[in-house]
Amino acid sequence: MDDVRALLFDVFGTVVDWRNGVSRQASGFLKKHCVPMAPADFADAWRRRYQPAMEAVRSGQRPFARLDILHRENLEAVLTEVGVDVTAIDPNELAALTLAWHRLDPWPDVLPGLARLKKRFIIAPLSNGNIILMLDMAMRAGIPWHTILGAEVVQAYKPMPEAYLRTADLLALQPGQVCMVAAHNNDLAAARACGLRTAFVLRPTEHGPAQSIDLRPDQDWDVVADSFEALADALGA
Amino acid sequence: MDDVRALLFDVFGTVVDWRNGVSRQASGFLKKHCVPMAPADFADAWRRRYQPAMEAVRSGQRPFARLDILHRENLEAVLTEVGVDVTAIDPNELAALTLAWHRLDPWPDVLPGLARLKKRFIIAPLSNGNIILMLDMAMRAGIPWHTILGAEVVQAYKPMPEAYLRTADLLALQPGQVCMVAAHNNDLAAARACGLRTAFVLRPTEHGPAQSIDLRPDQDWDVVADSFEALADALGA
């Protein structure tokens, strides 16, 4: 890892707790509109449509659309599926709820860990979230990114190789000088296939108390840690 | 200006003093290779090729190429023009000198002004400089951008309308919620034509002691100031 100059972070699940954040912000809306779902189930249902929506872009079925747009479409689809007439809801309310993804809280170890890592590395998100989503989140939570990178900048959704390779190229770095940090084995596998270094950070409650995936490293990632502070320890930062 | 949420900054000339910075860093190289130019004249000659090189991209004559690439090509052209055989120079030396543009110092009012403006606005560069150029510069000089925006992110060089409009769109803002800050009347004119707000900051020695352009506002820009601290005063930041 001595050659690594930049750490690129997955965000949803790795940096922030999307499930509790979306649940909390959706509960009032769900009650008001009599949506027959518990807030956490609603968050899970909304999130389940995340990969299929991006897959439509990755496969070329539609041009690149930023995640805020996909989140809004997915919100309407989830509500429709459980019988809610979305055309009867004020569009401003739907727009406001879509911004829940901009207002997620970091896991408790994130800010102290990043403060240390920032002294030694370029730190930036490489998320499928769009620029203003990442920027609003960082400004609200005090996440000290050097800059926002990610899918919207390179116009490619992870785990497409372009997402990793174009980002390394923007930094004028070789893939091996960049380390992907994620709580998801599939993200790291795609990054490794492009030549990036990899750091797995365990987030065993991202999907709630009954989480069954990403509870352990699938491969011998370059670093395995259970917090951003442990990651800083491992990298000597 | 009450609607403005983001300030976008021109960088070369407005934020940093490119002429003195490039002169200082080039002087050793010029001496070593017997280049018959004073360092400031060399900086001016290198900079004179900046607009024509971008014009080849703007006109569609070549695909988008980041400024680091154009700076390198322009460096070789300037040296060739004065009779230097660039093929006899170690390419690593040319690459290192090209990075001079990553290591420019801000004018003295920039850091105190931005610290105040950052509390009230999103602050980001909207420069024709590429991402890693802006990032290296910011990390070295302590420029506290919220994120790096600019030509490479939107794949369009100022003063093309796309450079301004796509950047506002990335921020999910209307053009009128964004203010362009620049020491150059032509940059502000292009931004205003796209509906952006405009702030002119006077930099009367950008081009050296005999500067003849941009010594006064050509139009009634929304703000006119002689420093970033005066800009912060004018914006109540």
Side-chain angles (χ1 to χ4, degrees):
Chain A
M1 297 282 288
D2 288 351
D3 290 340
V4 169
R5 296 228 10 239
L7 303 180
L8 300 177
F9 293 80
D10 174 65
V11 172
F12 299 118
T14 303
V15 172
V16 297
D17 176 3
W18 58 265
R19 190 172 189 263
N20 282 309
V22 170
S23 300
R24 176 174 40 79
Q25 295 179 74
S27 64
F29 176 96
L30 298 174
K31 222 172 268 176
K32 175 176 173 188
H33 295 289
C34 306
V35 180
M37 295 179 93
D41 293 338
F42 171 78
D44 287 339
W46 199 354
R47 182 71 173 178
R48 263 195 303 277
R49 291 179 174 270
Y50 173 69
Q51 288 297 341
M54 291 187 296
E55 190 54 30
V57 173
R58 288 188 291 244
S59 67
Q61 196 187 315
R62 66 185 286 185
F64 187 87
R66 69 180 59 149
L67 191 60
D68 276 337
I69 293 171
L70 304 183
H71 272 156
R72 172 62 179 273
E73 296 173 357
N74 291 347
L75 170 61
E76 298 192 19
V78 169
L79 293 171
T80 302
E81 192 177 43
V82 295
V84 176
D85 176 10
V86 292
T87 64
I89 300 177
D90 179 352
N92 291 322
E93 261 190 273
L94 296 171
L97 183 54
T98 303
L99 293 179
W101 296 91
H102 295 219
R103 292 182 298 247
L104 303 175
D105 294 322
W107 303 104
D109 52 279
V110 163
L111 298 187
L114 287 180
R116 291 167 57 190
L117 293 163
K118 186 174 183 175
K119 291 180 190 155
R120 171 115 179 234
F121 301 97
I122 296 173
I123 58 167
L126 173 42
S127 165
N128 284 330
N130 51 293
I131 293 172
I132 188 63
L133 191 169
M134 288 293 127
L135 189 54
D136 280 345
M137 178 192 286
M139 290 175 72
R140 176 181 171 278
I143 306 172
W145 304 126
H146 280 113
T147 189
I148 307 293
L149 298 173
E152 192 177 27
V153 176
V154 292
Q155 298 280 298
Y157 279 118
K158 294 187 297 180
M160 298 282 277
E162 292 84 353
Y164 307 96
L165 293 173
R166 287 183 192 157
T167 301
D169 182 57
L170 288 176
L171 295 171
L173 295 176
Q174 297 300 313
Q177 296 177 291
V178 173
C179 178
M180 185 74 210
V181 181
H184 309 129
N185 284 288
N186 68 334
D187 196 353
L188 298 183
R192 175 175 273 185
C194 292
L196 278 70
R197 296 292 176 172
T198 52
F200 181 77
V201 178
L202 189 67
R203 296 299 187 196
T205 61
E206 174 188 353
H207 296 282
Q211 180 165 329
S212 62
I213 59 164
D214 289 322
L215 293 174
R216 58 193 63 79
D218 281 354
Q219 298 184 35
D220 60 331
W221 307 123
D222 296 295
V223 178
V224 173
D226 62 4
S227 72
F228 279 23
E229 290 175 278
L231 175 65
D233 289 342
L235 297 177
Chain B
M1 297 282 288
D2 287 351
D3 290 339
V4 169
R5 296 226 14 239
L7 303 179
L8 300 177
F9 294 80
D10 175 64
V11 171
F12 300 117
T14 303
V15 172
V16 296
D17 175 2
W18 58 266
R19 190 171 188 266
N20 282 310
V22 170
S23 299
R24 177 176 38 79
Q25 295 178 75
S27 64
F29 176 96
L30 298 174
K31 224 172 270 176
K32 175 176 174 188
H33 295 287
C34 306
V35 181
M37 294 178 94
D41 294 336
F42 172 77
D44 287 341
W46 199 354
R47 181 71 173 178
R48 262 195 303 277
R49 291 179 174 270
Y50 173 69
Q51 289 297 340
M54 292 187 295
E55 190 55 29
V57 173
R58 288 189 291 245
S59 67
Q61 196 186 315
R62 66 185 286 186
F64 187 85
R66 69 180 58 147
L67 191 60
D68 276 336
I69 293 172
L70 305 183
H71 273 156
R72 171 65 179 270
E73 294 173 359
N74 290 347
L75 170 61
E76 299 192 19
V78 169
L79 293 172
T80 302
E81 193 178 43
V82 293
V84 176
D85 176 10
V86 292
T87 64
I89 300 178
D90 179 352
N92 290 323
E93 260 191 276
L94 296 171
L97 183 54
T98 303
L99 293 179
W101 297 90
H102 295 219
R103 292 182 296 248
L104 302 175
D105 294 321
W107 303 103
D109 53 279
V110 164
L111 298 186
L114 288 180
R116 292 167 57 191
L117 293 163
K118 187 175 183 176
K119 292 182 189 154
R120 171 114 180 234
F121 301 98
I122 296 173
I123 58 167
L126 173 41
S127 165
N128 284 330
N130 51 292
I131 293 172
I132 188 63
L133 192 169
M134 289 291 128
L135 189 54
D136 279 345
M137 179 192 286
M139 290 174 72
R140 176 180 171 278
I143 306 172
W145 304 126
H146 281 113
T147 189
I148 307 293
L149 298 174
E152 191 177 27
V153 176
V154 293
Q155 298 279 298
Y157 278 118
K158 295 187 297 178
M160 296 283 277
E162 293 83 353
Y164 308 96
L165 293 172
R166 287 183 191 156
T167 301
D169 182 56
L170 289 176
L171 295 172
L173 294 176
Q174 297 299 314
Q177 296 176 291
V178 173
C179 179
M180 186 74 211
V181 181
H184 308 129
N185 284 287
N186 68 333
D187 196 353
L188 298 181
R192 174 174 273 184
C194 293
L196 277 70
R197 296 292 177 171
T198 51
F200 181 77
V201 177
L202 188 66
R203 296 297 188 198
T205 61
E206 174 188 354
H207 296 281
Q211 181 164 328
S212 62
I213 59 163
D214 289 322
L215 291 174
R216 57 194 64 80
D218 281 354
Q219 298 184 36
D220 60 331
W221 308 123
D222 297 294
V223 178
V224 174
D226 62 4
S227 70
F228 279 22
E229 291 177 277
L231 176 63
D233 289 342
L235 297 176

